[in-house]
Every structure is written in C-alpha cells, then in structure tokens.
C-alpha cells in the first residue's frame, strides 16, 4: 500500500505527496466520471504551481478518483454560453491553461488512467509526458457528438502522438478505444491490471527520480521545442539561461557589474 500525505485541501481535487518526491493530483468528482468544472481546473492549476515551486517534488501523477474514470472532460451541466460557468458566473475554457501548464512544467507529468479518459479528459492524458493505463481504461473524443472540439493540443499534438490518419479517425468518428488498442497506437506507454496501476505508476516515477533532474528538464523542453515554435524555443532557451547562470563565466559578468569593473572573460574556454 503506497502512503500519501495531503499537501493542501481542495474542494474538487485531492493533492497528495509521497516522500520519495512524487505529487499526485487527482480529480475527485467520481459521481460524474471526474468531469471538470472551472473550479476543478482552477484547483489543478494551483496544485501544479505548487508542484513547480516545491523542490521536494520531482514527478507529478495526474489521475481521477474512483477507479472508473480518469476524466470525462468538461462538466456538461455547467457548460453555458461561451464556456464552462463557475460560481463567479464567468464562462471559461481554463482547461486550455492547464494543458499548457502540464506541457511546460519542468518536471515529468504521468497520467495514471483507470476507466474513462474521454473528451477534454482524453486531451489531459494526451498532453501528459507519459500515460499508464489500467486494463479497464477507455479512450476517445466526443466533441462532434456534444457540440465542441479541441483544435489545439487536442488535435495537433494528438496527431503527433498517433499520426494524422488515426487522429482524424478519433475525432471524426468519436469511437472509443480500449487499453490494448491505445497501446497499439502509441497513445499510452503501458497497460497493467487495475490493481497494479498505482504500484506500476509509482515504480515508473521512482525510476525517473533516480535520473538527473536537469537532464529530464532539458529533454522535456527539447521535446516541446520541436513542436511549439517560438514558445517552445523560449522554454528551451530559458533552461539554457538557467544552466548558464550556474557557470563561473556568467557569474563573472554579474560580479563585474556589481563591483563596477570591466568583466574579464579571457580565462573562460572557447569550446570548439
Ligand atoms: C464517459 C461516458 C462514455 C461514460 O458512459 P457510462 O459509463 O454509461 O456512464 P454515464 O451514465 O454516462 O455517466 C455517469 C454519470 O456521470 C455523468 N457524466 C459523465 N460525463 C459527464 C460530463 N462530461 N459532464 C457531466 N456529467 C457527466 C453522467 O451524466 C452520469 O450522471 P447521472 O448518473 O446523474 O446520470 C459518458 O458518460 C459520456 O459520454 N460522457 C460525456 C463525455 C463528454 O462529452 N465530455 C465533454 C467533451 N467535451 C469536453 O470535454 C470539452 C473540453 C473543453 O473544455 C474544451 C477544450 C478545448 C476547446 C473546447 C472545449 C469545449 O468545451 O468546447
């Protein structure tokens, strides 16, 4: 039995920590197959921000409570005119902000999928770095059935993952795919029995936690950069700046400025 301690209390998600350095963000609305409201998404964004800043956390698991659903997308009962409506009466599509955050947070994010990953819930697992599925997992898009679509990562990144023909099939037919079919098309990394899902996901996380965090960070932004244009290059370049700041060469520039002298970069190597 894996031990989790609560990091912060929320209304619609659970946010927990495992002492090895793993955070688990879990949608806690099993009565609607973990459909998300603007509040669910706001809480997930807050938890992700904490994960980014907390140096104890090296890997993040995204999941849903109850064993029957990862997430069934936007809660159709609060879908209004122009978005999903929370207590402030403002229509929002804030899940798009969460998708960007999952992709850009400089730590691996693993989707742990039991049951339904449908609609906007399917897109959430697609944008995670890795997906581990239970044998009961079911995947698909519903947009053209329910009057919505995700033409962002939900279409373009999905096509990068499974190929153009398969991505168009997934969206145009709105069929549902079982875990083995998802594995066969490269949509998930591994399929395990439901009772082994958390154990296996934690095993994968522990393996990543043994690796160099800076190397994983650079690789994640490098994978993104190839796809994300200037925003992707900015992410990768930001990491290059971080590394440069760690060097004596960069520190010489800062120190010279503070000491009101000319910097001496002559001693630093000019690599071939
Ligand atoms: C998942 C499905 C296939 C499961 O079927 P099953 O097993 O027969 O269970 P149900 O009886 O249908 O469900 C159990 C209870 O859960 C409720 N429920 C399920 N899903 C939702 C949901 N998404 N919203 C609200 N309630 C939900 C059921 O109503 C039922 O409740 P009771 O027991 O009270 O009747 C099946 O449930 C299903 O097909 N669900 C709907 C899936 C869906 O269409 N999701 C929305 C898809 N769209 C998005 O997610 C858009 C996301 C988004 O925000 C966005 C992003 C980018 C650009 C645009 C958008 C956009 O919104 O437009």
């Amino acid at each position: 039995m894996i031990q989790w301690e609560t990091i912060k209390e929320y209304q619609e998600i659970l946010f927990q920590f495992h002492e090895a350095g793993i955070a688990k963000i879990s949608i806690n609305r099993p009565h609607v197959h973990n459909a998300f409201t603007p509040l669910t998404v706001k809480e997930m964004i807050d938890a992700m921000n904490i994960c980014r800043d907390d140096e104890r956390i090296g890997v993040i698991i995204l999941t849903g409570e109850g064993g029957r659903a990862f997430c069934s997308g936007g809660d159709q009962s609060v879908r209004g005119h122009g978005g999903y409506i929370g207590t402030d009466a403002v229509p929002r599509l804030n899940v798009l902000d969460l998708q960007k955050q999952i992709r850009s947070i400089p730590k691996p994010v693993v989707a742990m999928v039991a049951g339904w990953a449908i609609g906007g819930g399917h897109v959430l697992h697609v944008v995670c770095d890795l997906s581990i599925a239970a044998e009961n997992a079911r995947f698909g898009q519903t947009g053209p059935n329910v009057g919505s679509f995700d033409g962002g990562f939900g279409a373009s990144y999905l096509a990068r993952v499974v190929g153009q023909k398969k991505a168009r099939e997934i969206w145009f037919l709105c069929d549902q795919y079982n875990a083995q079919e998802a594995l066969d098309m490269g949509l998930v990394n591994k399929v395990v029995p439901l009772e082994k899902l958390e154990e296996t996901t934690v095993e994968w996380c522990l393996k990543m936690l043994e690796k160099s965090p800076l190397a994983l960070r650079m690789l994640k932004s490098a994978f993104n950069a190839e796809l994300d244009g200037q925003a992707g290059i900015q992410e990768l370049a930001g990491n290059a700046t971080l590394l440069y700041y760690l060097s004596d060469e960069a520190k010489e520039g800062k120190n010279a400025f503070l000491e009101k002298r000319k910097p001496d970069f002559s001693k630093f190597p000019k690599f071939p």
Side-chain angles (χ1 to χ4, degrees), residues 59 108 204-216 219:
V59 184
W204 280 48
C205 292
L206 293 175
K207 274 192 193 174
M208 288 187 280
L209 286 165
E210 286 172 0
K211 311 288 185 270
S212 155
L214 264 175
L216 297 186
L219 281 164

Side-chain angles (χ1 to χ4, degrees), residues 31-33 35-36 72-77 84 93 95-96 116 118-121 142 146 148-150 176:
H31 57 292
V32 284
H33 286 328
F36 56 77
S72 61
D75 187 323
Q76 298 304 292
S77 71
Y84 293 84
L93 285 171
V95 74
L96 300 177
W116 297 107
I118 291 283
T142 59
V146 296
S148 83
F149 64 92
D150 182 341
Q176 291 163 358

